[in-house]
Amino acid sequence: MKRLIPTAVITVTIAFLCVFGYKMTERICNTVLSDLEECRSTYKSGDIEAAIKLAEKFEDKWLNEQKPRLATFANHGFLDEITVTNARLTAFCRMDEAPEFYAECYAIEATVKQILEESRLHSESFY
Amino acid sequence: MITTVIRTAILYFLVTVGIRLMGKRQIGDMQPNELVVTLLISEIAAIPLQDTNQPILNGAAAIFILVVLEIIVSVLAMKSFFVRKIISGKSVVIIKNGVIDQQAMRDVRMTVLDLVELLRGQEVFNLSDVAFAVLEVNGDLSVLLKGDAKPVTAKDINLKPDDEGLPLPVISDSKIVDESLKALQTDRSSLGKILKKNSLTVEDVFLMMLDRYGNFSVVKKEKNR
């Protein structure tokens, strides 16, 4: 009994962290994807100034809010990858280099989807 | 660098708490499942240390899941003989009525040399002295000697030695251990009287063992060189 109480507490804590971690990762990743899409569509519409502002805001939000929160649950390698790609994205937006800008958008999208995929529970995870 | 230092400290405390929760056991006394969990914990703890890309929470969760499973399995094993048999196996009688059970030895893949070595570990050098030998689940060999090979006990020669109380350390490195005094149902003033009677002070004593009958032994503290 002496050990069963801490065991129960640990089990509940881990279960809570699993659910909380999954929900938080999903929410942040979806926000990142929608922010990225907004930036991409603004750039596509030809409003470069607005796209630069969005890219800067996106980078700032990623560095100060989203990345630190995701770091508790997601692989730091992916997060660093997004940080570096994000910096290039803003630079390409400023230089109006469309192919490179879109390539960086796809790279961020792919990495975010990879983070989401890793946090999800599916049969592939077991083998 | 600082990340590694902090992560190492965090994991050290987590592993210590985990092992403490599992309970006290020497490596040699572990059941097979406990040994597996201990090995796995040490391996898992190393992953977030080596790979700083891994969130420390992943390692901590894995460690604590193993601890939780280990505690659940040991509780089940305590309650159910069947579970105990599945998880830990069962002891095997290797020598029965002085006769080696060769089939049992083959079953546990034990050679005669292994058996002789284990017997020597039990201070038995003559196989013919053994009535029963049981290989326990943790790999130890328990031996029951034949009647004529058993050492003489006080009971055999009708002696009734005095009951010995358990000596406890009441002073350790010049500090009074109140827990021991409480267990011996005595107090600091009684201890002080014993010390005074023997011209000692608490500061003079490195170690003092006392039992409930008032018997004590003292190791004096060496003067600083």
Side-chain angles (χ1 to χ4, degrees), chain B:
Chain B
M1 179 72 181
I2 189 82
T3 314
T4 310
V5 172
I6 293 168
R7 285 168 82 100
T8 308
I10 293 171
L11 279 165
Y12 168 78
F13 286 110
L14 290 178
V15 172
T16 308
V17 169
I19 299 283
R20 279 289 292 118
L21 272 173
M22 276 167 54
K24 284 179 190 167
R25 288 258 190 163
Q26 297 283 329
I27 294 283
D29 296 337
M30 283 181 180
Q31 300 293 325
N33 57 317
E34 291 168 337
L35 185 66
V36 168
V37 169
T38 310
L39 293 176
L40 277 177
I41 285 179
S42 59
E43 286 290 321
I44 289 169
I47 296 170
L49 287 186
Q50 289 168 341
D51 182 5
T52 45
N53 278 338
Q54 290 293 329
I56 204 162
L57 195 66
N58 283 4
I63 289 168
F64 280 108
I65 285 292
L66 283 173
V67 171
V68 164
L69 287 175
E70 162 54 24
I71 293 172
I72 291 171
V73 166
S74 44
V75 168
L76 288 176
M78 214 166 67
K79 304 267 179 203
S80 154
F81 180 75
F82 177 73
V83 175
R84 192 161 56 239
K85 205 171 124 184
I86 298 281
I87 299 295
S88 308
K90 57 175 187 171
S91 21
V92 178
V93 180
I94 300 291
I95 300 177
K96 202 173 182 179
N97 294 320
V99 179
I100 297 176
D101 185 340
Q102 293 183 22
Q103 184 56 48
M105 283 184 68
R106 275 195 290 274
D107 290 345
V108 294
R109 292 180 297 281
M110 178 190 264
T111 64
V112 179
L113 291 178
D114 293 335
L115 176 63
V116 172
E117 190 183 324
L118 285 169
L119 284 171
R120 281 200 301 266
Q122 299 286 327
E123 296 184 12
V124 179
F125 293 88
N126 195 344
L127 205 66
S128 59
D129 288 344
V130 181
F132 286 92
V134 181
L135 186 67
E136 307 294 355
V137 286
N138 61 7
D140 285 349
L141 191 74
S142 303
V143 178
L144 179 70
L145 294 172
K146 286 179 181 167
D148 56 356
K150 279 183 186 168
V152 178
T153 63
K155 196 177 165 189
D156 292 335
I157 49 175
N158 291 324
L159 273 180
K160 286 186 179 167
D162 292 334
D163 183 21
E164 283 179 25
L166 175 70
L168 294 174
V170 286
I171 300 177
S172 169
D173 204 4
S174 302
K175 287 185 186 75
I176 296 175
V177 185
D178 287 312
E179 272 179 29
S180 300
L181 290 176
K182 200 175 163 189
L184 293 166
Q185 292 170 339
T186 183
D187 52 27
R188 282 179 177 237
S189 65
S190 310
L191 179 67
K193 280 176 197 161
I194 298 173
L195 289 171
K196 199 174 174 186
K197 204 173 161 187
N198 292 277
S199 314
L200 288 167
T201 63
V202 175
E203 286 73 31
D204 297 334
V205 180
F206 181 66
L207 175 68
M208 180 174 179
M209 302 290 287
L210 179 71
D211 67 22
R212 63 190 164 110
Y213 298 108
N215 302 315
F216 67 93
S217 60
V218 170
V219 178
K220 284 187 183 174
K221 199 167 188 175
E222 284 179 5
K223 298 282 175 233
N224 284 340
R225 289 172 189 166

Side-chain angles (χ1 to χ4, degrees), chain A residues 3 7 10 72-77, chain B residues 21 23 52-53 55 57 68 71:
Chain A
R3 294 208 168 89
T7 305
I10 291 169
T72 320
F73 303 100
N75 188 312
H76 298 183
Chain B
L21 272 173
T52 45
N53 278 338
L57 195 66
V68 164
I71 293 172

